[in-house]
């Protein structure tokens, strides 16, 4: 049974810092790894999708990497801004099923 | 472009009452459909997923059921709500890779 873990559970940083969020999964037989952002009381917004054949994806100040053999993915946020404050979740996709980590709650201080 | 609609957004129900949450997707055909629940302070729990009309897979034994009467419609139901059914319910869809979410329905059972 796939288990997804995210570390740290919460993070508070000053504006402008570069930061790394970690995601690990127990079963490396995944199809894709997806990162999401969730604002309080809202649904999830897709940030980046890394297919199993890829090692990383980039969108603006976000970069996500995937190492299937070690069961790890990282989300790198460059030059963090207060607007980046949210909960970030990763999800691994198996056969039809997307299993989520419990998220990292990020607060960027102005 | 594809859109996903989920309603109602907020629901307050007494214990023992029935439940019906509805989700529809526009702009795509034969999507995979999902119901997740997010309890306070916890991660997303996969409840049901469907890969076609009338095809429902249940992930967790519980007081809920799901149906897919039409290709792009997914309904979450309960005959008698329990206090433990309170939470944030999220509908999602995919075409096999990227997962997209609705805005969620917050259910409070009193």
């Amino acid at each position: 049974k796939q288990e997804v873990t995210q570390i740290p559970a919460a993070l508070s940083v000053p504006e402008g810092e570069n930061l790394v969020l970690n995601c690990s999964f127990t079963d490396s037989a995944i199809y894709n790894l997806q990162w999401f952002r969730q604002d309080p009381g809202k649904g999830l917004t897709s940030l980046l999708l890394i297919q199993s054949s890829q090692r990383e994806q980039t969108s603006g100040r976000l970069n996500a990497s995937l190492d299937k053999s070690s069961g790890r993915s990282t989300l790198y946020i460059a030059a963090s801004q207060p607007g980046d404050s949210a909960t970030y979740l990763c999800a691994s996709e198996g056969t039809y099923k997307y299993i989520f980590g419990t998220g990292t709650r990020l607060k960027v201080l102005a | 472009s594809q859109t996903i609609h989920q309603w109602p957004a907020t629901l307050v129900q007494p214990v023992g009452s029935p439940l019906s949450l509805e989700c529809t997707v526009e702009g795509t055909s034969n999507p995979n459909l999902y119901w997740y629940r997010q309890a306070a302070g916890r991660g997303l729990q996969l409840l049901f997923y469907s890969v076609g009309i009338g095809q429902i897979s249940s992930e967790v034994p519980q007081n809920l059921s799901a149906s897919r009467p039409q290709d792009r419609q997914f309904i979450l139901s309960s005959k008698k709500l329990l206090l433990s059914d309170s939470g944030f319910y999220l509908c999602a869809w995919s075409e096999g890779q990227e997962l997209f979410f609705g805005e969620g329905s917050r259910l409070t059972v009193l």
Side-chain angles (χ1 to χ4, degrees):
Chain A
K1 179 182 175 184
Q2 178 73 286
E3 293 183 5
V4 181
T5 304
Q6 290 188 246
I7 295 173
L11 186 61
S12 185
V13 300
E15 182 177 6
E17 263 198 24
N18 302 324
L19 51 100
V20 175
L21 307 182
N22 297 293
C23 171
S24 61
F25 44 94
T26 55
D27 185 353
S28 62
I30 64 170
Y31 293 134
N32 304 299
L33 193 292
Q34 193 170 352
W35 283 91
F36 295 85
R37 167 185 173 139
Q38 185 178 30
D39 293 295
K42 301 293 186 180
L44 279 68
T45 299
S46 178
L47 296 174
L48 291 165
L49 170 72
I50 312 174
Q51 298 176 7
S52 61
S53 59
Q54 300 172 326
R55 293 193 63 87
E56 66 177 312
Q57 281 288 332
T58 298
S59 175
R61 293 182 293 107
L62 305 179
N63 175 276
S65 65
L66 174 63
D67 184 344
K68 283 183 59 178
S69 61
S70 66
R72 294 185 179 182
S73 176
T74 60
L75 178 66
Y76 176 81
I77 303 177
S80 59
Q81 303 172 357
D84 294 330
S85 298
T87 297
Y88 291 81
L89 298 103
C90 66
S92 69
E93 184 205 353
T95 305
Y96 301 124
K97 290 193 275 189
Y98 297 77
I99 305 300
F100 282 79
T102 51
T104 294
R105 193 169 59 255
L106 173 66
K107 187 169 185 178
V108 181
L109 305 171
Chain B
S1 64
Q2 301 90 349
T3 57
I4 178 169
H5 303 283
Q6 187 181 339
W7 70 93
T10 305
L11 201 57
V12 180
Q13 293 285 98
V15 170
S17 64
L19 171 73
S20 181
L21 300 179
E22 190 165 339
C23 172
T24 60
V25 181
E26 297 177 356
T28 185
S29 297
N30 197 30
N32 298 331
L33 297 173
Y34 302 83
W35 279 111
Y36 283 88
R37 177 170 59 200
Q38 188 175 37
R42 301 182 64 180
L44 270 73
Q45 180 185 38
L46 178 60
L47 302 176
F48 301 95
Y49 67 94
S50 171
V51 299
I53 295 175
Q55 300 179 57
I56 309 293
S57 296
S58 174
E59 286 297 296
V60 182
Q62 58 212 333
N63 186 41
L64 302 169
S65 63
S67 62
R68 185 172 178 172
Q70 299 180 41
D71 181 43
R72 291 170 290 172
Q73 183 184 28
F74 206 22
I75 298 172
L76 183 69
S77 304
S78 174
K79 291 182 180 178
K80 290 185 178 181
L81 285 169
L82 305 173
L83 286 174
S84 58
D85 292 323
S86 292
F88 192 47
Y89 289 82
L90 290 150
C91 180
W93 73 273
S94 82
E95 291 177 319
Q97 293 191 352
E98 196 165 1
L99 188 66
F100 299 96
F101 280 85
E103 282 300 308
S105 298
R106 183 161 304 282
L107 170 65
T108 302
V109 183
L110 301 175

